[in-house]
Coordinates of all heavy atoms in Angstrom, one line a residue:
G59 N -20.9 14.7 -5.2 CA -22.1 13.9 -5.5 C -22.8 14.2 -6.8 O -23.8 13.7 -7.1
V76 N -23.1 20.9 -16.5 CA -22.9 20.0 -17.6 C -23.5 20.6 -18.9 O -24.7 20.7 -19.0 CB -23.5 18.6 -17.4 CG1 -23.2 17.6 -18.5 CG2 -23.0 18.0 -16.1
R134 N -26.3 1.0 5.0 CA -27.6 0.3 5.0 C -28.7 1.2 4.5 O -29.9 0.8 4.6 CB -27.9 -0.2 6.5 CG -27.1 -1.3 6.9 CD -27.5 -1.8 8.3 NE -26.7 -3.0 8.6 CZ -25.4 -3.0 9.0 NH1 -24.8 -1.9 9.1 NH2 -24.8 -4.1 9.2
Y153 N -23.4 3.6 -21.8 CA -22.1 3.9 -22.4 C -21.2 2.7 -22.6 O -20.1 2.8 -23.0 CB -21.3 4.9 -21.4 CG -22.1 6.2 -21.2 CD1 -22.9 6.4 -20.1 CD2 -22.0 7.3 -22.2 CE1 -23.5 7.6 -19.9 CE2 -22.6 8.5 -22.0 CZ -23.4 8.6 -20.9 OH -24.1 9.8 -20.7
S191 N -17.6 6.3 22.1 CA -16.3 6.8 21.9 C -15.2 5.7 22.0 O -15.5 4.7 22.5 CB -16.0 7.8 23.1 OG -15.9 7.1 24.3
V198 N -13.8 -1.7 19.8 CA -13.3 -2.5 18.8 C -14.3 -3.4 18.1 O -14.4 -3.5 16.9 CB -12.1 -3.4 19.3 CG1 -11.7 -4.5 18.4 CG2 -10.9 -2.5 19.6
W232 N -8.5 1.4 -2.4 CA -7.8 1.1 -1.2 C -8.3 -0.1 -0.5 O -7.8 -0.6 0.5 CB -7.7 2.3 -0.2 CG -6.8 3.3 -0.7 CD1 -7.2 4.6 -0.9 CD2 -5.5 3.2 -1.0 NE1 -6.1 5.3 -1.4 CE2 -5.0 4.5 -1.4 CE3 -4.5 2.2 -0.9 CZ2 -3.7 4.7 -1.8 CZ3 -3.2 2.4 -1.3 CH2 -2.8 3.7 -1.7
I249 N -7.5 -4.7 -7.5 CA -7.1 -3.8 -6.4 C -6.4 -2.6 -6.9 O -5.5 -2.7 -7.8 CB -6.3 -4.6 -5.4 CG1 -7.1 -5.8 -4.8 CG2 -5.8 -3.7 -4.2 CD1 -6.2 -6.8 -4.0
C262 N 5.6 -0.1 0.8 CA 4.7 -1.0 1.6 C 3.5 -1.4 0.8 O 3.1 -2.6 0.8 CB 4.3 -0.3 2.9 SG 5.7 -0.2 4.0
F266 N 2.5 -5.3 -0.2 CA 1.3 -6.0 0.4 C 0.3 -6.4 -0.6 O -0.2 -7.5 -0.6 CB 0.7 -5.1 1.5 CG -0.4 -5.8 2.2 CD1 -0.1 -6.7 3.2 CD2 -1.7 -5.5 1.9 CE1 -1.1 -7.3 3.9 CE2 -2.7 -6.2 2.5 CZ -2.5 -7.1 3.5
T269 N 0.4 -9.6 -2.6 CA 0.1 -10.9 -2.0 C -1.3 -11.3 -2.0 O -1.7 -12.3 -1.4 CB 0.6 -11.0 -0.5 OG1 -0.2 -10.1 0.2 CG2 2.1 -10.6 -0.4
P322 N -5.8 18.5 -14.5 CA -5.2 19.9 -14.8 C -5.9 21.0 -14.0 O -7.1 21.0 -14.1 CB -5.4 20.0 -16.3 CG -6.0 18.7 -16.8 CD -6.5 18.0 -15.6
P422 N 7.2 -7.5 13.8 CA 7.5 -6.2 14.4 C 6.5 -5.7 15.4 O 5.4 -5.2 14.9 CB 7.8 -5.3 13.3 CG 6.9 -5.8 12.2 CD 6.6 -7.3 12.4
A479 N 27.5 -0.6 14.2 CA 28.6 -0.3 13.4 C 29.8 -0.1 14.2 O 30.1 -0.9 15.1 CB 28.2 0.9 12.5
E506 N 24.3 2.6 29.3 CA 23.8 3.9 29.8 C 24.6 5.0 29.2 O 24.2 6.2 29.4 CB 24.0 3.9 31.3 CG 23.1 2.9 32.0 CD 23.4 2.7 33.5 OE1 24.5 3.1 33.9 OE2 22.5 2.3 34.2
F540 N 10.9 3.0 16.4 CA 11.9 4.0 16.5 C 12.6 4.3 15.2 O 12.9 5.4 14.8 CB 12.9 3.7 17.6 CG 13.9 4.8 17.8 CD1 13.5 6.1 18.3 CD2 15.2 4.7 17.5 CE1 14.4 7.1 18.5 CE2 16.1 5.7 17.7 CZ 15.7 7.0 18.1
V568 N 23.2 -9.7 -1.3 CA 23.4 -8.4 -2.0 C 24.1 -7.4 -1.1 O 23.7 -7.3 0.1 CB 22.1 -7.8 -2.5 CG1 22.3 -6.6 -3.3 CG2 21.3 -8.9 -3.3
V576 N 16.5 -3.5 -3.0 CA 16.7 -4.8 -3.7 C 15.4 -5.5 -3.8 O 14.7 -5.7 -2.7 CB 17.7 -5.6 -3.1 CG1 17.9 -6.9 -3.8 CG2 19.1 -4.9 -2.9
I587 N 17.1 -9.4 -10.6 CA 17.5 -8.7 -9.4 C 17.2 -7.2 -9.7 O 17.9 -6.5 -10.4 CB 19.1 -8.8 -9.2 CG1 19.4 -10.3 -9.1 CG2 19.5 -8.0 -8.0 CD1 20.9 -10.7 -9.2
V616 N 26.5 -8.8 -5.9 CA 25.6 -9.9 -5.6 C 26.4 -11.2 -5.7 O 27.2 -11.4 -6.6 CB 24.5 -9.9 -6.7 CG1 23.4 -11.0 -6.4 CG2 23.8 -8.6 -6.9
A623 N 28.6 -22.2 -15.0 CA 28.7 -20.9 -15.4 C 27.4 -20.4 -16.0 O 26.7 -21.2 -16.6 CB 29.8 -20.8 -16.5

Side-chain angles (χ1 to χ4, degrees):
V76 182
R134 287 183 175 76
Y153 301 98
S191 72
V198 167
W232 291 118
I249 299 173
C262 291
F266 184 79
T269 67
E506 293 169 340
F540 184 65
V568 182
V576 179
I587 304 164
V616 184

